[in-house]
């Protein structure tokens, strides 16, 4: 190979290496980075920490631990002392908030049922805010409202899931709070929940 050809080949290979390195550095963080954020907090709680593998295109903004209000859980909260909150958002104002803890609460009453489905071995309800402020039960929740459950879900959704725990608590309770997500997206998020691992 003559010297000129060698220089051209060497320049091409060097450029390819620099380009590949630059592309690697500019690539978005891998899903493993999100997993690390969840898994790193797992030793600090008494329930098994889960994470979604599907987030409907929403980006993880924060993962943090919180403490339950003593007035809500009493002077001896037992397993109901800590909870974990993960927040996902996009510029389109859609959002997902995942709150998980030991089994410490239940959905507010009443709420409007949007859809039900089977997943993780149990029946799961997708709920939304009751449009009738005078409602005393689920059956009269929508009376007087012209908005459909699907329309109301765009503004606010709430889904509760109970998953097995391998920690001190026998159950991890997960509450999804959504905005701007569809029934199908919420179902896919629920079905993608998996134990957080490094």
């Amino acid at each position: 190979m003559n010297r000129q050809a060698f220089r051209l080949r060497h320049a091409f290979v060097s450029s390819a290496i620099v380009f590949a390195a630059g592309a690697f550095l500019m690539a978005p963080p891998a899903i493993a980075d999100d997993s690390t954020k969840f898994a790193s907090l797992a030793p600090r709680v008494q329930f098994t920490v889960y994470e979604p593998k599907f987030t409907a295109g929403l980006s993880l903004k924060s993962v943090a631990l919180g403490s339950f209000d003593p007035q809500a859980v009493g002077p001896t909260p037992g397993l109901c002392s800590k909870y974990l909150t993960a927040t996902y958002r996009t510029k389109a104002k859609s959002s997902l908030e995942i709150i998980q803890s030991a089994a410490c609460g239940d959905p507010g009453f009443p709420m409007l049922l949007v859809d039900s489905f089977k997943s993780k071995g149990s029946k799961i309800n997708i709920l939304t805010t009751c449009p009738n402020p005078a409602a005393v039960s689920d059956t009269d929740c929508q009376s007087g409202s012209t908005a459909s459950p699907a329309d109301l879900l765009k503004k606010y959704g709430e889904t509760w899931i109970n998953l097995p725990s391998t920690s001190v608590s026998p159950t991890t309770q997960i509450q999804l709070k959504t905005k701007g997500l569809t029934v199908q997206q919420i179902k896919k998020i629920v079905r993608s929940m998996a134990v957080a691992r490094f």
Side-chain angles (χ1 to χ4, degrees):
M1 179 182 296
N2 65 40
R3 187 171 295 176
Q4 182 66 18
F6 177 79
R7 283 181 185 159
L8 287 172
R9 183 176 178 196
H10 180 71
F12 176 77
V13 171
S14 299
S15 298
I17 291 170
V18 169
F19 177 78
F24 178 75
L25 291 172
M26 293 171 62
I31 292 175
D33 292 345
D34 291 352
S35 297
T36 301
K37 292 175 185 175
F38 282 90
S40 65
L41 295 176
R44 298 171 59 187
V45 296
Q46 295 181 297
F47 54 89
T48 298
V49 174
Y50 284 80
E51 64 172 322
K53 299 300 183 182
F54 173 79
T55 62
L58 303 175
S59 300
L60 181 64
K61 298 301 179 185
S62 66
V63 180
L65 287 181
S67 298
F68 283 108
D69 186 334
Q71 291 184 334
V73 295
T76 53
L79 299 177
C80 297
S81 58
K82 300 272 185 192
Y83 62 89
L84 183 148
T85 302
T87 304
Y88 298 78
R89 282 194 299 274
T90 63
K91 291 179 181 177
K93 297 184 179 177
S94 295
S95 65
L96 166 66
E97 185 178 35
I98 301 174
I99 304 164
Q100 47 189 310
S101 66
C104 300
D106 52 52
F109 180 83
M111 292 195 79
L112 181 63
L113 178 66
V114 180
D115 200 354
S116 293
F117 65 106
K118 283 268 189 137
S119 182
K120 310 289 186 184
S122 61
K123 181 182 176 183
I124 296 171
N125 294 328
I126 298 174
L127 308 166
T128 189
T129 305
C130 181
N132 178 6
V136 293
S137 69
D138 293 342
T139 54
D140 61 352
C141 195
Q142 199 174 6
S143 59
S145 173
T146 57
S148 71
D151 289 335
L152 293 167
L153 182 65
K154 291 175 187 175
K155 296 180 181 176
Y156 178 78
E158 194 169 302
T159 306
W160 293 69
I161 318 159
N162 288 321
L163 295 174
S165 177
T166 56
S167 191
V168 176
S169 171
T171 303
T172 296
Q173 187 175 67
I174 300 172
Q175 179 188 14
L176 305 181
K177 293 182 177 182
T178 60
K179 180 181 177 183
L181 299 184
T182 66
V183 165
Q184 292 308 316
Q185 287 173 320
I186 294 169
K187 286 180 178 180
K188 197 167 179 181
I189 291 167
V190 170
R191 290 177 174 136
S192 77
M193 296 299 293
V195 175
R197 301 188 190 284
F198 285 105

